[in-house]
């Protein structure tokens, strides 16, 4: 009896060690840490991974926080990963590791629309449920996309906003994320379509430049724009990293009132620039809710409740029920409309995300 008792303790200790090691592996190196706690749901011991564009992006941190909340509520384990640089190669390496860990689902925020197809197809062939969110991958690479808001609306409102800010006249530039980011590229396409409207005939889009969602590169790209275009009236940055960097440069150079900044920003990072009027207003959606919706979509896919086909419905915790709908490239679950942040509401939101 005594012998078995000791054996039992030793086995339990080995098991505990193995579980701890598995968790460490998921958190590895300089990448984002792993969740790991389980909540009160019935998702068994399923492991749901999310791979963001790159580390060090506060938007990505909020997105992953929401994802982890949903997965834990459902009783599963969340694995949060991102490469150091926003590259397709970095994501492929992480996905290969996740495939070998036999996770149950993979949510990808793509650094490239087509470039991840081989590795994501491999993941699906191995029985992993694959979905994208925020920055979509092509329809062969995933079962469904969890979309923040209608891309056409996101693109068009940024041009409407900037036009109003500069009185429909002058040079404007776009400071984007990476040149391969499918979300930003789609929004920029819609900005260009909106600019074809005769209302904007006295406005000119002089350049689209890329700060790669890296703070320093976004700062130097902003400085380069100001140097190349001394008459520049506005910068649109459809990236939270870019808009904060551009606003800081304009503020530091004392260019308030000469060059305006708008686009998509986190209220927590942009409050000071909305208050100092460098950015009169800007837009975003709730990144925590986007991650939470993606988490519940991952759980519903891996529980076999949905397959990602049009008409599938599921419950997304506190957010209520959602339906899978058809788009031009596959199917999606849509979070909602972009939200405007300005001097009247920024105080309410700056501590939320
Ligand atoms: C950056 C990222 C992200 C995008 C936001 C608006 O943080 O590029 O993908 O959705 O900006």
């Amino acid at each position: 009896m005594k012998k078995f008792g000791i054996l039992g303790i030793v086995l339990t200790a080995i098991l505990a060690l193995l579980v701890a090691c598995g968790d460490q592996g998921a958190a590895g190196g300089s990448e984002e840490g792993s969740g790991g706690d389980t909540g009160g749901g019935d998702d068994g011991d399923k492991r749901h991974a999310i791979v963001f564009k790159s580390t060090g992006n506060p938007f990505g941190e909020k997105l992953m926080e929401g994802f982890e909340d949903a997965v834990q509520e459902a009783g599963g384990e969340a694995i949060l990963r991102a490469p150091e640089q926003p590259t397709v190669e970095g994501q492929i390496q992480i996905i290969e590791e996740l495939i070998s860990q036999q996770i149950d689902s993979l949510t990808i925020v793509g650094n490239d629309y087509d470039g991840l197809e081989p590795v994501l197809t491999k993941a699906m062939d191995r029985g992993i449920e694959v979905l994208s969110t925020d920055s979509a991958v092509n329809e062969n690479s995933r079962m469904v996309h969890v979309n923040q808001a209608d891309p056409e609306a996101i693109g068009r409102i940024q041009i409407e906003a900037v036009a109003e800010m500069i009185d429909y006249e002058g040079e404007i530039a776009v400071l984007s994320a990476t040149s391969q980011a499918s979300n930003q590229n789609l929004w920029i396409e819609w900005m260009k379509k909106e600019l074809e409207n005769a209302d904007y005939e006295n406005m000119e889009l002089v350049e689209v430049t890329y700060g790669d969602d890296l703070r320093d590169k976004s700062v130097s790209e902003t400085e380069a724009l100001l140097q190349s275009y001394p008459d520049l009236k506005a910068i649109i940055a459809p990236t939270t990293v870019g808009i904060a960097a551009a606003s800081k440069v304009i503020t530091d150079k004392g260019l308030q009132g000469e060059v305006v900044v708008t686009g998509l920003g986190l209220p927590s990072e942009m409050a000071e620039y909305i208050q100092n009027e460098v950015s009169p207003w800007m837009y975003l959606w709730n990144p925590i809710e986007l991650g939470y919706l993606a988490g519940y979509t991952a759980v519903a896919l891996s529980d076999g409740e949905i397959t990602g086909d049009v008409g599938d419905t599921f419950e997304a915790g506190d957010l209520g029920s959602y339906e899978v709908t058809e788009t031009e490239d596959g199917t999606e679950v849509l979070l909602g409309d972009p939200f405007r942040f300005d001097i009247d509401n920024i105080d309410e939101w700056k501590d939320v995300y």
Side-chain angles (χ1 to χ4, degrees):
M1 278 305 281
K2 205 174 169 197
K3 228 184 186 174
F4 281 116
I6 291 169
L7 193 67
I9 292 169
V10 170
L11 281 177
T12 314
I14 291 173
L15 206 71
L17 210 69
L18 283 176
V19 170
C21 284
D23 220 22
Q24 274 260 298
S30 54
E31 290 146 6
E32 301 290 344
S34 143
D37 296 340
T38 49
D42 59 0
D43 197 40
D45 288 331
K46 293 209 171 132
R47 290 180 303 157
H48 303 280
I50 184 166
V51 180
F52 189 66
K53 289 176 168 181
S54 59
T55 54
N57 180 338
F59 176 94
E61 279 152 21
K62 293 290 173 194
L63 183 86
M64 291 193 283
E65 183 186 317
F67 180 86
E68 186 172 29
D69 287 349
V71 167
Q72 291 185 353
E73 262 175 32
E77 180 190 332
I79 300 172
L80 318 176
R81 303 289 300 267
E84 260 181 69
Q85 299 294 318
T87 61
V88 68
E89 293 78 16
Q91 289 191 319
I92 289 173
Q93 201 188 331
I94 291 176
I95 296 167
E96 289 285 5
E97 283 169 32
L98 292 168
I99 293 174
S100 64
Q101 289 169 17
Q102 295 172 331
I103 53 165
D104 294 284
S105 81
L106 171 64
T107 301
I108 180 79
V109 180
N111 279 333
D112 196 285
Y113 188 67
D114 295 312
L116 291 160
E117 188 174 328
V119 76
L120 292 175
T121 319
K122 177 175 167 187
M124 288 190 282
D125 288 346
R126 302 279 170 92
I128 299 170
E129 312 292 331
V130 175
L131 58 150
S132 53
T133 190
D134 182 50
S135 186
V137 291
N138 72 31
E139 63 179 303
N140 302 327
S141 310
R142 40 88 171 170
M143 302 161 88
V144 66
H145 176 64
V146 180
N147 196 355
Q148 51 275 70
D150 175 23
E152 176 171 354
I154 298 173
R156 290 193 190 272
I157 47 166
Q158 293 177 77
I159 295 297
E160 287 164 11
V162 91
E164 210 179 313
M165 290 172 193
I166 64 171
D167 227 358
Y168 292 81
E169 205 174 324
E171 293 177 353
I172 62 169
V174 170
L175 169 67
S176 190
T178 66
S179 61
Q180 299 302 314
S182 64
N183 53 347
Q184 273 90 12
N185 284 351
L186 188 56
W187 301 330
I188 293 167
E189 262 176 50
W190 282 111
M191 287 184 204
K192 289 181 176 164
K193 281 195 190 131
E194 176 67 16
L195 277 172
E196 286 166 13
N197 187 319
D199 291 349
Y200 309 112
E201 62 189 6
N202 295 325
M203 281 168 52
E204 189 194 352
L205 174 60
V206 290
E207 197 173 323
V208 177
T209 184
Y210 302 93
D212 293 352
D213 273 349
L214 303 172
R215 210 166 290 269
D216 291 350
K217 181 150 193 252
S218 304
V219 164
S220 54
E221 291 297 327
T222 305
E223 287 166 349
L225 282 175
L226 295 172
Q227 210 158 30
S228 308
Y229 307 100
D231 295 329
L232 194 69
K233 287 278 175 302
I235 296 173
I236 303 178
T239 135
T240 58
V241 177
I243 194 173
S247 300
K248 183 173 186 332
V249 172
I250 302 299
T251 302
D252 290 350
K253 289 191 181 299
L255 290 172
Q256 285 100 315
E258 284 175 52
V259 182
V260 292
V261 179
T262 190
L264 308 173
L266 278 172
S268 54
E269 295 188 302
M270 287 297 291
E272 69 176 287
Y273 307 117
I274 286 185
Q275 276 146 3
N276 75 6
E277 293 175 17
V278 161
S279 180
W281 70 89
M282 55 148 205
Y283 301 87
L284 200 68
W285 41 88
N286 187 325
I288 307 170
E289 287 184 356
L290 182 62
Y292 185 85
L293 180 56
Y296 266 102
T297 310
V299 168
L301 280 170
S302 72
D303 288 350
E305 198 184 334
I306 63 169
T307 58
D309 285 346
V310 179
D312 280 355
T313 56
F314 64 101
E315 289 297 318
D318 296 341
L319 288 176
S321 43
Y322 280 82
E323 183 172 345
V324 177
T325 55
E326 190 159 15
T327 66
E328 274 168 26
D329 58 347
T331 61
E332 73 172 21
V333 178
L334 182 69
L335 179 67
D337 293 319
F339 191 78
R340 171 177 154 144
F341 297 97
D342 56 29
I343 196 68
D344 294 328
N345 64 11
I346 194 70
D347 274 339
E348 275 169 55
W349 289 99
K350 67 174 199 264
D351 299 324
V352 186
Y353 55 83

